[in-house]
Amino acid sequence: MALVTLTTDFGTLYPAAMKAVILNICKDVTIVDISHTVPLGDILTGAFVLYNTAYLFPKGTVHVAVVDPGVGTCRKALILEAGGQYFVGPDNGLMIPAAHRCRKMKVWTIQVDRLFPEISSTFHGRDVFAPVGAYLAAGRNVEDLAKPSDCYVCLNLEEAIIETDTIRGKVNYVDDFGNVITSIPAHSLCNILKPRDILKLEGNDIRFVETYANSNPEETIALIGSHGFLEIAVSMGNAAEMLSISGHPAICLQKITSTDNNE
Amino acid sequence: MALVTLTTDFGTLYPAAMKAVILNICKDVTIVDISHTVPLGDILTGAFVLYNTAYLFPKGTVHVAVVDPGVGTCRKALILEAGGQYFVGPDNGLMIPAAHRCRKMKVWTIQVDRLFPEISSTFHGRDVFAPVGAYLAAGRNVEDLAKPSDCYVCLNLEEAIIETDTIRGKVNYVDDFGNVITSIPAHSLCNILKPRDILKLEGNDIRFVETYANSNPEETIALIGSHGFLEIAVSMGNAAEMLSISGHPAICLQKITSTDNNE
Amino acid sequence: MALVTLTTDFGTLYPAAMKAVILNICKDVTIVDISHTVPLGDILTGAFVLYNTAYLFPKGTVHVAVVDPGVGTCRKALILEAGGQYFVGPDNGLMIPAAHRCRKMKVWTIQVDRLFPEISSTFHGRDVFAPVGAYLAAGRNVEDLAKPSDCYVCLNLEEAIIETDTIRGKVNYVDDFGNVITSIPAHSLCNILKPRDILKLEGNDIRFVETYANSNPEETIALIGSHGFLEIAVSMGNAAEMLSISGHPAICLQKITSTDNNE
């Protein structure tokens, strides 16, 4: 059975309209909601959500992703193919990290004007991306829908500047539990941090640990999380609230090397 | 594969019980959640949600809708057929606008006492509407489940009184982003409003525009939205919060015609 | 088609990862979300949700349940079989009431180390429970995945001490509408309460009624709800807010017998 996923900032009402359109075109399809609660217009959060989930799906899956503050402007609409999966959505970077993770990305521009001569200016999720995703899921060739392209908007989830005493990056994502996932990838921290090092973030002490199990209740900790990035958490608590973090601010962590080994 | 949609005010726990019942009766079925976050007992919001979504689904879809403050009273239970789709739910107007939109509505009264001699008095979503919807999805005849009726509770989403200087209606729906969708249909405003006209709502200036793209940040605007009604929005903001609108209040807009053309 | 349900405290992002894993193993599967909004680590709420829903599903359904504050510790991972249904999740009591409700429970311990020699320490929902659930849904024998066990963590949703003038229990669940469902089962109250009896809870008068229809607007009432437990509700209101109840506190109700019959 064909498989389509949806990732949007549409909230409650609009995802069902996309599903209706998909089911009209492709009757035997499993539709999986990845998320419809991406903050409105927050492309980076959408990209992070898709990056962490899409690669797990089977080959042949079509990922329709719509966080699209530029709807109604001249931004392009894209199909990406990577690792045997398809991605359909706006050309604003949203799908790029997820597609890169699936390897060997190819890019096409959807021929919107040819396929949908009379579309609304506000709801391309329903009127463009859902039908194009459904056509792909139903087995139509990409070439019928889009033409190859080599120009697209980039977006990079990995952003880290490592200096002797500071580690800089930004916030990629705050999860439902207030864990703050940064843009600092595990590989950039090789030999940089060791357990018991203390990181200072705007006056707060954050202890670097290897696993959650090594933390004390209500302690603020940093660890390499399951997403592969440095993340900041409060054991049994909400780090984002504690640190007043929302959105995607830049962060600068001061490193204070543990001297435990010398004691 | 059979297709059943669900629209309820049940929140978290109870939709899964409905799905279990449906899957017992009809194994090969795709179940699509339209919404389970209709405010408790808010028939008008439920009707608006269904009106905006149901017509998009393929022929043969069975829409089970349960916003049912009258459960346990003598209100009837209905099956509607319209445009090749079925609607199953309480007789309180909830399904009427959606069915009318699908054209040529037929009405049946579910023979609840005959089909379910021993049902709970509180959870007809699980005990009546889910099984009846599943029977229809599995191919049973309407006549086995219900008898024709010509009496039902009406509900009208279109409500507008247009006078020289005022446009009156009510609020049909507030979406997740705070956009306020009124009951004033596009067709009632032909030649009444033109771009740059100002509407006054309780002291607030609202500029009529053709598309979101024509607004300035944080400006309050009115436009004909994708739902086909006059809607009020704040560019990059939340109109319902800004105007303190919740529920379905009556609204009265004073019209101040733009004199731009004369300047 | 195979049928898998999911009940977790994962919120937004992580359920889709579990679905991806399941769909890789078992292509033709219907996945039903029971709930992903169980409060973080709240095993009792998770158990109540599963208890109220799982028994309704068809034979052969596989219920994957993950509310797992002990992930990363040495807590075991279980498969339960009961009434022709399977339950897959951590050994912390979460699945026990639901399985008991389906009768004739058998218990196996998942051989995690043998099946998944290299798993993350934090996301067993994706890395252990989802694949094991999918294997079962795809028809693999339990014996390939787990070995019989007779030792497991218990959890009991029924907890009531009935004395002449007091009824004691705890709160099992607060639903989306603020109804407070206690651990006091209907069968423990036979001949104990009659309509119009008053129950006192920390100074609040609560009238025992047979159905919601017998209440007055904004009155606090107690009744035997559709879950089979004594529940406390406010007609047209939110009982949990009114009584400041959250979590699972012990409750002690003073009984004041109605003397209406003597008047």
Side-chain angles (χ1 to χ4, degrees), chain B residues 161-176:
Chain B
I161 301 170
I162 314 293
E163 292 168 353
T164 316
D165 297 328
T166 61
I167 301 168
R168 292 167 197 273
K170 66 173 190 295
V171 172
N172 269 341
Y173 187 69
V174 175
D175 77 13
D176 291 353

Side-chain angles (χ1 to χ4, degrees), chain B residues 9 11-14 16-17 20 24, chain C residues 35 37 56-58 175-177 227:
Chain B
D9 59 356
T12 304
L13 182 54
Y14 305 97
N24 272 290
Chain C
S35 174
T37 57
L56 293 165
F57 280 85
D175 76 14
D176 291 352
F177 314 115
H227 304 292

Side-chain angles (χ1 to χ4, degrees), chain A residues 62-65 75-81 86-96 99 105-112 128-129 132-133 136 142 145-154:
Chain A
V62 179
H63 302 284
V64 177
R75 69 101 187 83
K76 290 187 296 176
L78 299 183
I79 298 172
L80 311 179
E81 189 196 338
Y86 289 99
F87 298 82
V88 180
D91 179 22
N92 60 17
L94 176 67
M95 310 181 293
I96 300 300
M105 184 175 77
K106 287 189 217 169
V107 182
W108 286 268
T109 301
I110 299 172
Q111 297 186 275
V112 175
V128 175
F129 300 122
V132 167
L136 289 172
V142 187
L145 307 164
K147 51 185 183 184
S149 174
D150 52 8
C151 166
Y152 56 88
V153 175
C154 266

Side-chain angles (χ1 to χ4, degrees), chain C residues 162-174:
Chain C
I162 314 293
E163 291 169 353
T164 317
D165 295 328
T166 61
I167 301 168
R168 291 167 198 274
K170 67 173 188 297
V171 171
N172 269 340
Y173 186 69
V174 176

Side-chain angles (χ1 to χ4, degrees), chain A:
Chain A
M1 198 145 73
L3 187 49
V4 173
T5 81
L6 302 179
T7 305
T8 77
D9 59 355
F10 286 173
T12 303
L13 182 54
Y14 306 97
M18 293 179 71
K19 293 178 190 179
V21 168
I22 292 167
L23 286 160
N24 271 291
I25 292 169
C26 184
K27 266 203 151 37
D28 287 321
V29 63
T30 297
I31 303 174
V32 174
D33 297 305
I34 291 183
S35 174
H36 296 294
T37 57
V38 174
L40 187 61
D42 183 345
I43 296 166
L44 182 51
T45 291
F48 185 82
V49 165
L50 201 59
Y51 169 83
N52 274 284
T53 320
Y55 76 98
L56 294 165
F57 279 84
K59 271 178 208 269
T61 301
V62 179
H63 302 284
V64 177
V66 194
V67 179
D68 190 16
V71 66
T73 69
C74 58
R75 69 101 187 83
K76 290 187 296 176
L78 299 183
I79 298 172
L80 311 179
E81 189 196 338
Q85 305 200 42
Y86 289 99
F87 298 82
V88 180
D91 179 22
N92 60 17
L94 176 67
M95 310 181 293
I96 300 300
H100 274 310
R101 187 165 192 170
C102 297
R103 315 272 162 177
K104 291 198 181 170
M105 184 175 77
K106 287 189 217 169
V107 182
W108 286 268
T109 301
I110 299 172
Q111 297 186 275
V112 175
D113 295 340
R114 186 174 65 74
L115 294 169
F116 310 101
E118 294 178 30
I119 55 166
S120 81
S121 59
T122 55
F123 196 179
H124 286 197
R126 180 189 66 195
D127 299 339
V128 175
F129 300 122
V132 167
Y135 291 142
L136 289 172
R140 259 176 86 168
N141 286 328
V142 187
E143 285 77 15
D144 292 350
L145 307 164
K147 51 185 183 184
S149 174
D150 52 8
C151 166
Y152 56 88
V153 175
C154 266
L155 188 149
N156 195 351
L157 295 174
E158 297 193 358
E159 195 177 305
I161 302 170
I162 313 292
E163 292 169 352
T164 318
D165 296 326
T166 60
I167 301 168
R168 290 167 199 275
K170 67 173 190 297
V171 172
N172 269 339
Y173 187 69
V174 175
D175 75 13
D176 291 352
F177 314 114
N179 300 315
V180 174
I181 295 105
T182 74
S183 63
I184 303 158
H187 64 74
S188 73
L189 295 173
C190 280
N191 303 319
I192 301 292
L193 289 178
K194 62 175 195 295
R196 302 202 202 167
D197 280 354
I198 300 295
L199 297 164
K200 271 199 169 291
L201 177 63
E202 293 179 11
N204 297 283
D205 278 8
I206 300 173
R207 191 163 60 96
F208 182 71
V209 297
E210 280 184 312
T211 73
Y212 277 96
N214 297 115
S215 66
N216 305 313
E218 298 182 39
E219 186 186 21
T220 308
I221 56 174
L223 74 169
I224 303 299
S226 62
H227 304 292
F229 292 97
L230 187 73
E231 69 186 67
I232 302 170
V234 170
S235 183
M236 317 285 290
N238 187 306
E241 276 180 20
M242 219 278 287
L243 302 166
S244 301
I245 287 174
S246 68
H248 304 284
I251 52 168
C252 175
L253 296 154
Q254 308 284 331
K255 191 179 111 183
I256 299 171
T257 302
S258 162
T259 55
D260 281 9
N261 296 336
N262 304 330
E263 284 172 7

